[in-house]
Amino acid sequence: MATIDQAQQTLTFPDGFRWGVATSSHQYEGGNTNNQWYAWEQAGHIRSGDRCGLACDWWANAERDFDRAQAMGLNALRLSLEWSRIEPRMDEWDAEALQRYRQMLQALHERGIEPMVTLHHFTDPLWFTARGGFLAGDAPERFERYVTHAVEALGDLCDFWCTINEPNIYAIVGYQIGRFPPGHHGDLRNTIRVQASMARAHAAAYHAIHRLQPAARVGWAQNFGMFDPIRPTSRLDRFIAHMAEISFNDLFPRAIQTGAASFPYNLFAGDLRKVQGTCDYAGINTYYRDLVGLDLRQPWQPFKRIVASGAPLSDQPIGISWGEVYPQGIARAARLLAPLGKPIYVTESGVADRADRLRPWQIAAGVRAMHEAIAEGIDLRGYYHWSLVDNFEWAEGWSTRFGLIALDPETQERTPRRSAAFYSAIAQANALTLEMLREYVPNAFDAPAVTS
Ligand code: BGC
């Protein structure tokens, strides 16, 4: 067990390490009314009752936030393209939308910020949803056509692509938990089929991009939930933690590594052989840990989720709970992905924390976990903090705040949190120093233990 306060020396990162922020189209742009998330909002499914509205107003004014990122000394920014803008109706392409994305990418380059472009971040055009979403037989081809168009139009301004954000969350929260559209509950079969279809869509996109840009770097962003046994000595709890981890994290990385899914997921996944080897890097998104174990009072649940006592909790969503804030999971996820033999980026990590009481610790602990992974020989090349500005948090609307910079969505006024200065100091030094910890994480000495 090590704690942040035991950091005696400066943690320096390799030259060229990317210090960035992650964002997404629907959560930032505003005015997206042609995707399934807008329909979901109209149907009253945003728990806080909020409207996405202008979001962070990026469709008109992203450049102002790019200025802020530049002033912070960041050298990387992950943003996504809104498929429903680029292909508003099937096979119809919107040149103006692509032109706006060209401006945005150009603006990033002018500020010395390297864009990583995500091609799918949870939102589908309404026409795609109406055809069955990723359950439609030709979904991978449809996705490939869109990606081809986007890369033809933007390829001179970007060679760093993230095909799909968190296929596991899209599938699990949409088809099993029901909090994301289409709102199915317990539909295990389609949870697997959707992820498998997304893996085939990813593979088709991977090849399409490489046909246009042989030197492109193409990967995806996988969400990693961390699960540990409630009673580490119990074989049963350990087994349940292992099964939870497999069912949550494993399908996509395994398909890319081996071209197959493990039992019993292979029963529904279909042919994944073409998925094997389709990545130039892997992205880790990680936020939480849950302790799990057998709970006989909940026989309908294969495991019980609980939060470790004393562990830090973020601001919580309405009606469910998010697990323990667990930036240390970065090192664990990096170890899980290391066998792929590809560079790794932390494409997201962050915390819902309006008061900014945990965020400095979360950043410091995440940076420490990355340093640990690199010291073990893992080729980890960058960190994209979720997120630059408070943004529209899906089913939670504006009720949970992930920004380094606070936003009043009514006035669009921005107020940097202390964490923005802390992260900026790390990015500019390409290092985390003890002085920074003293200044920005004074409560590190009471902070939760960093266990691994
Ligand atoms: C998603 C983001 C989201 C963040 C915080 C990730 O699962 O990719 O879109 O805002 O977590 O919940």
Side-chain angles (χ1 to χ4, degrees):
M1 186 153 91
T3 53
I4 282 295
D5 54 323
Q6 287 164 6
Q8 291 306 322
Q9 82 277 26
T10 298
L11 303 181
T12 303
F13 282 75
D15 285 345
F17 195 83
R18 304 295 197 285
W19 294 103
V21 278
T23 70
S24 91
S25 56
H26 190 71
Q27 296 176 277
Y28 269 74
E29 288 174 357
N32 278 312
T33 57
N34 191 27
N35 66 35
Q36 96 282 29
W37 265 96
Y38 180 72
W40 191 244
E41 175 184 311
Q42 295 303 299
H45 292 300
I46 307 302
R47 301 301 165 122
S48 55
D50 292 329
R51 301 272 166 193
C52 184
L54 261 191
C56 307
D57 194 26
W58 271 27
W59 198 243
N61 285 310
E63 288 79 352
R64 291 189 200 158
D65 283 334
F66 297 169
D67 287 342
R68 292 181 178 93
Q70 181 187 24
M72 286 169 67
L74 305 185
N75 58 12
L77 188 144
R78 176 174 170 236
L79 75 172
S80 75
L81 305 181
E82 180 60 35
W83 183 1
S84 67
R85 284 193 194 271
I86 293 175
E87 191 179 4
R89 280 163 299 280
M90 193 164 89
D91 285 326
E92 284 182 27
W93 309 95
D94 187 327
E96 273 180 38
L98 286 163
Q99 188 50 37
R100 175 63 185 135
Y101 286 122
R102 287 191 64 80
Q103 281 175 353
M104 285 163 69
L105 296 178
Q106 191 71 52
L108 287 168
H109 287 295
E110 282 160 11
R111 288 161 179 79
I113 297 174
E114 180 194 50
M116 174 194 276
V117 173
T118 306
L119 292 149
H120 184 277
H121 194 125
F122 292 166
T123 51
D124 302 322
L126 284 173
W127 62 262
F128 183 81
T129 305
R131 300 173 85 253
F134 280 95
L135 290 173
D138 66 348
E141 290 80 36
R142 286 282 136 210
F143 183 66
E144 179 187 359
R145 284 170 74 87
Y146 145 66
V147 168
T148 302
H149 258 82
V151 175
E152 275 170 355
L154 306 172
D156 57 323
L157 295 171
C158 177
D159 67 352
F160 198 12
W161 304 97
C162 173
T163 55
I164 299 185
N165 179 69
E166 298 186 349
N168 53 335
I169 295 294
Y170 175 97
I172 293 168
V173 186
Y175 290 81
Q176 209 171 314
I177 299 174
R179 213 168 161 91
F180 282 10
H184 295 190
H185 292 272
D187 189 351
L188 193 59
R189 190 159 161 259
N190 280 330
T191 304
I192 304 306
R193 290 177 62 212
V194 165
Q195 284 183 81
S197 169
M198 291 177 111
R200 287 186 282 272
H202 155 86
Y206 176 86
H207 292 301
I209 298 170
H210 277 291
R211 276 193 292 276
L212 294 165
Q213 284 186 319
R217 292 159 290 160
V218 186
W220 91 108
Q222 179 75 12
N223 183 288
F224 284 89
M226 293 296 153
F227 301 93
D228 281 323
I230 298 170
R231 295 164 298 173
T233 52
S234 153
R235 273 177 172 225
L236 208 52
D237 284 6
R238 286 209 304 269
F239 174 72
I240 283 168
H242 175 69
M243 292 314 289
E245 194 155 306
I246 299 287
S247 74
F248 202 87
N249 301 326
D250 184 64
L251 195 143
F252 223 87
R254 183 179 296 273
I256 288 182
Q257 202 180 344
T258 68
S262 60
F263 180 80
Y265 310 106
N266 58 350
L267 301 178
F268 308 115
D271 190 350
L272 292 169
R273 279 174 298 180
K274 287 190 180 146
V275 180
Q276 189 174 18
T278 56
C279 81
D280 306 312
Y281 74 88
I284 293 170
N285 293 4
T286 195
Y287 291 83
Y288 310 109
R289 173 173 77 153
D290 286 300
L291 295 187
V292 298
L294 187 69
D295 179 6
L296 293 172
R297 288 163 305 175
Q298 301 203 60
W300 58 91
Q301 284 228 43
F303 55 84
K304 178 194 180 192
R305 301 181 55 166
I306 64 153
V307 169
S309 67
L313 283 184
S314 68
D315 298 348
Q316 290 292 304
I318 301 159
I320 52 163
S321 62
W322 285 336
E324 171 188 351
V325 181
Y326 195 64
Q328 308 91 305
I330 289 172
R332 283 170 61 167
R335 286 179 204 120
L336 290 171
L337 286 176
L340 277 175
K342 300 287 180 183
I344 293 172
Y345 292 85
V346 177
T347 34
E348 281 181 36
S349 188
V351 59
D353 183 13
R354 189 186 290 258
D356 212 37
R357 63 200 162 92
L358 279 179
R359 194 175 283 101
W361 169 78
Q362 176 267 325
I363 292 172
V367 168
R368 214 170 152 67
M370 288 195 292
H371 199 267
E372 187 183 304
I374 293 169
E376 285 172 22
I378 295 177
D379 185 8
L380 203 165
R381 299 192 182 179
Y383 174 82
Y384 296 77
H385 186 82
W386 186 274
S387 187
L388 180 63
V389 180
D390 288 342
N391 57 83
F392 194 73
E393 179 55 29
W394 305 114
E396 318 317 320
W398 296 105
S399 67
T400 50
R401 303 300 183 102
F402 283 83
L404 294 167
I405 300 174
L407 170 76
D408 179 341
E410 293 296 317
T411 62
Q412 287 293 319
E413 196 184 329
R414 276 126 168 103
T415 313
R417 296 189 166 97
R418 262 177 77 71
S419 287
F422 179 35
Y423 188 51
S424 165
I426 295 170
Q428 292 187 46
N430 196 30
L432 172 64
T433 67
L434 202 55
E435 293 71 44
M436 290 177 201
L437 283 177
R438 286 205 180 102
E439 180 169 359
Y440 293 105
V441 203
N443 59 351
F445 302 99
D446 322 316
V450 179
T451 55
S452 56

